[in-house]
Amino acid sequence: MTTIKLQVNGTPHDVEVDAATPLLFVLRNEMGLTGAKLGCGLEQCGACTVLVDGEPVLSCVRAVSEFAGNQIQTVEGLAENGNPNKVQQAFIAENAAQCGYCTSGLVIATTALMERNPKPSRSDINEALADHLCRCGSHVRVLKAIEKLSSVGGSDDR
């Protein structure tokens, strides 16, 4: 066991775990942050996505020791003054979830996209969501939420 210093949702944490433990398991089991999910366990579905220094990172396989000193943000940390952030609000407004399993990963990926490009094209959106699988059928509503959020809805890049 090793003590690893993590900065999660703006709060410092010292966790005593095996350094090879995937970050996802530390977030869920040690910190009670259950928004990110274990889907495939192979970094292929996106359900485990968190922000690391503002970039979306799949957390189901990578060792927690890789993240010491980085700023980690989970879907739970996106709220602003206890209210959903603009991406979360857009997903809510469009009912952009069905089972909800992939939703936190999609929200995280969209948050990162909107931070670097507030007016993304459809191809930018597709690229940002390429690592995310939605198996229950809400993907069209996800795209609609992002397009409304970014005012892309009328773009020719469809």
Side-chain angles (χ1 to χ4, degrees):
M1 298 294 251
T2 304
T3 300
I4 298 176
K5 294 181 181 299
L6 298 174
Q7 188 75 235
V8 180
N9 297 330
T11 303
H13 296 270
D14 290 337
V15 292
E16 191 165 316
V17 295
D18 182 320
T21 303
L23 175 62
L24 177 66
F25 296 116
V26 173
L27 294 171
R28 292 180 60 80
N29 300 335
E30 303 299 321
M31 297 182 188
L33 298 170
T34 58
K37 307 283 191 260
L38 177 64
C40 67
L42 300 170
E43 295 186 325
Q44 295 181 4
C45 73
C48 66
T49 305
V50 297
L51 292 175
V52 178
D53 296 331
E55 294 297 318
V57 171
L58 303 171
S59 67
C60 66
V61 174
R62 293 184 52 193
V64 65
S65 58
E66 293 180 42
F67 300 97
N70 297 106
Q71 297 292 323
I72 301 164
Q73 191 171 28
T74 66
V75 71
E76 293 92 343
L78 296 179
E80 299 165 351
N81 298 320
N83 297 308
N85 75 357
K86 64 184 179 180
V87 173
Q88 292 167 317
Q89 290 173 16
F91 273 60
I92 292 166
E94 292 304 320
N95 293 311
Q98 190 162 321
C99 78
Y101 207 83
C102 66
T103 307
S104 68
L106 290 164
V107 167
I108 289 286
T110 301
T111 299
L113 170 65
M114 299 306 293
E115 285 297 314
R116 70 178 175 272
N117 182 0
K119 300 243 182 243
S121 66
R122 174 60 79 94
S123 62
D124 294 332
I125 295 168
N126 289 338
E127 184 179 328
L129 301 184
D131 291 336
H132 298 268
L133 299 177
C134 172
R135 298 180 193 272
C136 67
S138 66
H139 197 74
V140 171
R141 294 189 307 268
V142 168
L143 294 175
K144 187 175 178 182
I146 298 169
E147 288 179 339
K148 281 189 173 182
L149 180 64
S150 62
S151 302
V152 171
S155 170
D156 291 333
D157 189 14
R158 291 183 151 287

